[in-house]
Coordinates of all heavy atoms in Angstrom, one line a residue:
G275 N -32.8 -67.0 2.7 CA -31.6 -66.4 2.3 C -30.4 -66.7 3.1 O -29.2 -66.5 2.9
W276 N -30.7 -67.6 4.2 CA -29.6 -67.9 5.1 C -29.6 -69.6 5.3 O -30.7 -70.2 5.3 CB -29.9 -67.4 6.5 CG -29.7 -65.9 6.5 CD1 -30.8 -65.0 6.4 CD2 -28.6 -65.1 6.6 NE1 -30.3 -63.7 6.4 CE2 -28.9 -63.8 6.6 CE3 -27.2 -65.4 6.7 CZ2 -28.1 -62.7 6.6 CZ3 -26.3 -64.4 6.7 CH2 -26.7 -63.1 6.7
V277 N -28.4 -70.1 5.5 CA -28.3 -71.5 5.8 C -27.5 -71.7 7.1 O -26.4 -71.2 7.2 CB -27.6 -72.3 4.6 CG1 -27.6 -73.8 4.9 CG2 -28.3 -72.0 3.3
E278 N -28.0 -72.5 8.0 CA -27.3 -72.7 9.3 C -26.2 -73.7 9.0 O -26.3 -74.8 8.4 CB -28.3 -73.3 10.3 CG -27.7 -73.6 11.6 CD -28.3 -74.8 12.3 OE1 -29.5 -75.0 12.3 OE2 -27.5 -75.6 12.9
I279 N -24.9 -73.4 9.5 CA -23.8 -74.3 9.3 C -23.2 -74.8 10.6 O -22.5 -75.9 10.5 CB -22.8 -73.9 8.2 CG1 -22.1 -72.6 8.8 CG2 -23.3 -73.7 6.8 CD1 -20.7 -72.4 8.1
L280 N -23.3 -74.1 11.7 CA -22.7 -74.6 12.8 C -23.3 -74.1 14.2 O -23.9 -73.2 14.2 CB -21.2 -74.3 12.8 CG -20.8 -72.8 12.7 CD1 -20.7 -72.2 14.1 CD2 -19.4 -72.7 12.1
G281 N -22.9 -74.9 15.2 CA -23.2 -74.5 16.6 C -21.9 -74.1 17.3 O -20.8 -74.7 16.9
C282 N -22.0 -73.1 18.2 CA -20.8 -72.7 18.9 C -21.0 -72.1 20.2 O -22.2 -71.8 20.6 CB -20.0 -71.9 18.1 SG -20.9 -70.3 17.6
G283 N -20.0 -71.8 21.0 CA -20.2 -71.1 22.2 C -18.9 -71.1 23.0 O -17.9 -71.7 22.6
M284 N -19.0 -70.4 24.2 CA -17.8 -70.4 25.2 C -18.0 -71.7 26.0 O -19.1 -72.0 26.5 CB -17.9 -69.2 26.1 CG -17.8 -67.9 25.3 SD -16.4 -67.9 24.2 CE -15.0 -67.7 25.4
V285 N -16.9 -72.5 26.2 CA -17.0 -73.8 26.9 C -17.5 -73.5 28.3 O -17.0 -72.6 29.1 CB -15.6 -74.5 26.9 CG1 -15.8 -75.8 27.7 CG2 -15.1 -74.7 25.6
D286 N -18.5 -74.2 28.7 CA -19.1 -74.1 30.1 C -18.1 -74.4 31.1 O -17.4 -75.5 31.0 CB -20.4 -75.0 30.2 CG -21.2 -74.6 31.4 OD1 -20.7 -74.7 32.5 OD2 -22.4 -74.4 31.3
P287 N -17.9 -73.6 32.1 CA -16.9 -73.8 33.2 C -17.1 -75.2 33.8 O -16.1 -75.8 34.1 CB -17.1 -72.8 34.2 CG -17.8 -71.7 33.5 CD -18.6 -72.3 32.4
T288 N -18.3 -75.7 33.9 CA -18.5 -77.1 34.4 C -17.8 -78.1 33.6 O -17.2 -79.1 34.1 CB -20.0 -77.5 34.4 OG1 -20.7 -76.3 34.8 CG2 -20.3 -78.7 35.3
V289 N -17.7 -77.9 32.3 CA -17.0 -78.9 31.4 C -15.5 -78.9 31.7 O -14.9 -79.9 31.7 CB -17.4 -78.6 29.9 CG1 -16.6 -79.6 29.0 CG2 -18.9 -78.8 29.7
L290 N -15.0 -77.6 31.8 CA -13.6 -77.5 32.1 C -13.2 -78.2 33.4 O -12.3 -79.0 33.4 CB -13.2 -76.0 32.2 CG -13.3 -75.2 30.9 CD1 -12.9 -73.7 31.1 CD2 -12.5 -75.8 29.8
E291 N -14.1 -78.0 34.4 CA -13.8 -78.6 35.8 C -13.9 -80.1 35.7 O -13.2 -80.8 36.2 CB -14.8 -78.0 36.8 CG -14.6 -76.6 37.1 CD -13.2 -76.2 37.7 OE1 -12.6 -77.1 38.3 OE2 -12.9 -75.0 37.5
N292 N -14.9 -80.6 34.8 CA -15.0 -82.1 34.6 C -13.7 -82.7 34.1 O -13.4 -83.9 34.4 CB -16.1 -82.4 33.6 CG -17.5 -82.3 34.3 OD1 -17.6 -82.3 35.5 ND2 -18.5 -82.2 33.4
C293 N -12.9 -81.9 33.4 CA -11.6 -82.3 32.8 C -10.5 -81.9 33.6 O -9.4 -81.9 33.2 CB -11.5 -81.8 31.4 SG -12.9 -82.4 30.3

Side-chain angles (χ1 to χ4, degrees):
W276 296 96
V277 182
E278 182 212 318
I279 61 157
L280 60 86
C282 60
M284 301 304 292
V285 181
D286 193 302
T288 318
V289 176
L290 296 178
E291 295 297 337
N292 281 345
C293 303

